[in-house]
Amino acid sequence: MCCFPSHCRSMRRTMLVMQLLRGAVEHAGSSSRCGVEPLISAVRGISSSSQQFSNFGRTHPSSCTDTDHPKVLITGGLGQLGVGLAKLLRRRFGKNNVILSDIRKPPNHVYHNGPFIFSDILDYKNLREIVVNNNISWLVHYSAVLSAVGESNVTLAKEVNITGLHNILDIATEHGLRVFVPSTIGAFGPSSPRDPTPDLCVQRPQTIYGVSKVHAELMGEYYHHRYGLDFRCLRYPGIISADSQPGGGTTDYAVQIFHAAVKTGCFECNLRSDTRLPMMYIDDCLRATLEILEAPADTLVRRTYNINAMSFTPHDLIQEIQKVLPDLKVTYNVDPVRQAIADGWPMALEDSAARRDWGWKHEYDLQELVQTMLTHITTGNQLAQAY
Ligand SMILES: NC(=O)C1=CN([C@@H]2O[C@H](COP(=O)(O)OP(=O)(O)OC[C@H]3O[C@@H](n4cnc5c(N)ncnc54)[C@H](O)[C@@H]3O)[C@@H](O)[C@H]2O)C=CC1
Ligand SMILES: CC(=O)[C@H](N)C(=O)O
């Protein structure tokens, strides 16, 4: 239901678009992007079988060759983060050198924009076949069941987040891959220091998601020490993106509010107004991921790093959005499961080690985040593609 009087809405939208366009153009002129190469257009081939797919890069060569660049497999690639990461990595390494995979059917724009393959991380043999047949050298392991969904299906979360991770680590070790596994603010719990939370401290999370991510951090580090696995891990804050939807987490409200603000002018928030959590705009998150993947091994003093950008409460976020959309109306209907999770999570992550060791630096603060999100949602992806 809409809160704006209908006769005002279209005029408000037009004004908003113009205001945001102006801001976005200024922002584009003043801040640098990720320093990636222009997208290389390459002929695309698609196969539904990993065996047919195996010669993809050689059959349709782009200007990036396998010897120049890693061959990357992204698992769980159809979630909130995977498609954006594939786009970034394809600009850097060539379209055919980055394979997205998932157990779901991709939307057309994903299917037609680069290699996509079915891969269930619980199927060890199939995963190994994909790695071998496609000469994979880097594995980005995004498949997961997130915090809120995990609490409603612990069995699935254990399977995907723990058994699936074991498959990934074993295959990566067997084939000498570099492997990136994201961790999360959810890997901490109520007994961790919360503001800020250091890299090394008590980790006693109270969700299956958090427990499985601590397990992933420790297993990856163990395989690194024991077998020399090139394991790399970042603890992401809640990630905020305009053109991909969150997959059932505790921080989802901070994405949903933007869509509601633009579309209806009303939002029902499922966390208390004073719940402070660490958050990050997706571009910063994906750039950090590329940066740690590319960091020379001898710069990595540890294998699991916190990264931080901003922290805010629903109240702070609403105030910032209302600077652009003053008529936004927010009500609260607190979800006790999500609230209990959020109350045990960090308010900010201490990330000086990432900044020191491999030069991590965020670009988006709350003000830039709001401007950018409203611009993307209001204008679709037109501006983003023009950058
Ligand atoms: N989005 C966020 O705010 C944050 C994400 N992360 C981590 O980043 C990674 C990616 O996150 P999102 O894209 O947000 O997750 P998401 O929940 O949006 O997507 C996860 C994907 O995994 C796939 N998947 C589920 N079971 C699978 C299986 N058996 N085999 C293969 N794929 C399977 C799903 O189909 C889904 O597309 C996850 O590991 C998550 O824990 C960490 C902190 C914050
Ligand atoms: C912070 C996360 O890991 C995720 N967004 C969640 O809320 O579960």
Side-chain angles (χ1 to χ4, degrees):
M1 279 299 293
C2 174
C3 292
F4 299 151
S6 58
H7 63 277
C8 297
R9 201 186 315 141
S10 71
M11 185 182 286
R12 293 185 61 84
R13 281 212 183 121
T14 310
M15 286 169 62
L16 172 63
V17 170
M18 291 183 66
Q19 187 185 350
L20 293 171
L21 278 167
R22 265 200 306 278
V25 168
E26 279 159 21
H27 176 67
S30 64
S31 67
S32 67
R33 286 284 174 260
C34 311
V36 291
E37 297 161 19
L39 188 66
I40 297 155
S41 71
V43 181
R44 180 175 185 283
I46 287 290
S47 161
S48 58
S49 121
S50 57
Q51 271 150 345
Q52 287 168 300
F53 194 68
S54 65
N55 283 329
F56 191 96
R58 287 179 288 278
T59 318
H60 305 284
S62 71
S63 61
C64 296
T65 67
D66 286 351
T67 50
D68 291 328
H69 291 306
K71 195 82 187 281
V72 189
L73 175 68
I74 302 174
T75 69
L78 295 184
Q80 186 189 359
L81 306 185
V83 173
L85 184 70
K87 195 171 167 191
L88 180 66
L89 298 184
R90 282 173 182 158
R91 282 185 187 151
R92 179 72 121 212
F93 302 130
K95 194 175 195 171
N96 296 336
N97 288 320
V98 180
I99 302 172
L100 262 182
S101 71
D102 208 300
I103 50 173
R104 297 189 277 143
K105 190 175 172 216
N108 277 341
H109 72 94
V110 173
Y111 184 77
H112 291 295
N113 268 323
F116 180 86
I117 194 165
F118 172 88
S119 169
D120 182 347
I121 56 157
L122 298 175
D123 184 343
Y124 185 89
K125 190 170 167 291
N126 173 249
L127 197 56
R128 177 200 256 160
E129 189 180 324
I130 291 167
V131 166
V132 169
N133 285 346
N134 294 286
N135 196 26
I136 297 299
S137 48
W138 290 8
L139 212 166
V140 176
H141 178 46
Y142 268 176
S143 308
V145 172
L146 272 60
S147 57
V149 176
E151 289 313 292
S152 65
N153 194 341
V154 174
T155 305
L156 180 69
K158 277 194 320 193
E159 239 174 59
V160 174
N161 297 1
I162 298 178
T163 309
L165 174 92
H166 292 169
N167 289 344
I168 294 290
L169 293 182
D170 285 344
I171 284 166
T173 304
E174 186 182 338
H175 299 285
L177 311 185
R178 180 170 299 181
V179 62
F180 175 82
V181 180
S183 185
T184 163
I185 50 174
F188 298 100
S191 54
S192 307
R194 294 183 61 212
D195 193 18
T197 304
D199 278 305
L200 294 176
C201 64
V202 169
Q203 286 180 270
R204 287 291 180 276
Q206 294 184 339
T207 60
I208 185 62
Y209 178 59
V211 169
S212 68
K213 288 293 188 178
V214 177
H215 177 75
E217 294 176 6
L218 292 176
M219 285 296 284
E221 291 182 8
Y222 174 71
Y223 271 53
H224 173 66
H225 296 303
R226 181 77 171 77
Y227 304 116
L229 175 66
D230 191 352
F231 171 80
R232 300 170 186 224
C233 175
L234 295 177
R235 294 193 189 108
Y236 292 162
I239 306 302
I240 299 172
S241 58
D243 51 12
S244 56
Q245 295 301 318
T250 303
T251 58
D252 292 8
Y253 91 88
V255 177
Q256 291 156 354
I257 191 172
F258 286 100
H259 293 277
V262 172
K263 284 184 189 127
T264 68
C266 291
F267 181 64
E268 188 178 85
C269 186
N270 56 21
L271 292 183
R272 260 193 344 261
S273 67
D274 62 348
T275 310
R276 180 172 301 281
L277 290 169
M279 302 280 186
M280 183 177 285
Y281 183 55
I282 188 167
D283 285 14
D284 275 341
C285 165
L286 301 180
R287 181 172 50 79
T289 305
L290 176 58
E291 284 173 5
I292 196 169
L293 272 165
E294 290 195 307
D298 58 5
T299 63
L300 301 179
V301 173
R302 53 178 55 116
R303 289 292 165 152
T304 301
Y305 285 93
N306 288 349
I307 50 168
N308 197 62
M310 67 190 99
S311 292
F312 55 75
T313 64
H315 177 75
D316 300 333
L317 181 56
I318 292 158
Q319 277 200 319
E320 199 59 39
I321 297 174
Q322 282 175 337
K323 288 182 186 166
V324 184
L325 297 171
D327 292 339
L328 170 65
K329 301 269 185 301
V330 179
T331 52
Y332 289 90
N333 182 11
V334 172
D335 170 3
V337 174
R338 283 186 167 84
Q339 188 63 54
I341 294 172
D343 286 343
W345 280 4
M347 296 187 207
L349 293 179
E350 204 285 304
D351 66 351
S352 56
R355 291 174 192 265
R356 180 196 62 218
D357 293 351
W358 47 276
W360 159 242
K361 196 170 180 299
H362 71 277
E363 286 184 3
Y364 289 83
D365 59 13
L366 177 57
Q367 203 184 343
E368 293 229 37
L369 170 84
V370 169
Q371 175 93 3
T372 307
M373 283 292 289
L374 292 177
T375 301
H376 276 255
I377 292 168
T378 307
T379 62
N381 287 328
Q382 288 164 1
L383 271 172
Q385 282 161 4
Y387 280 163

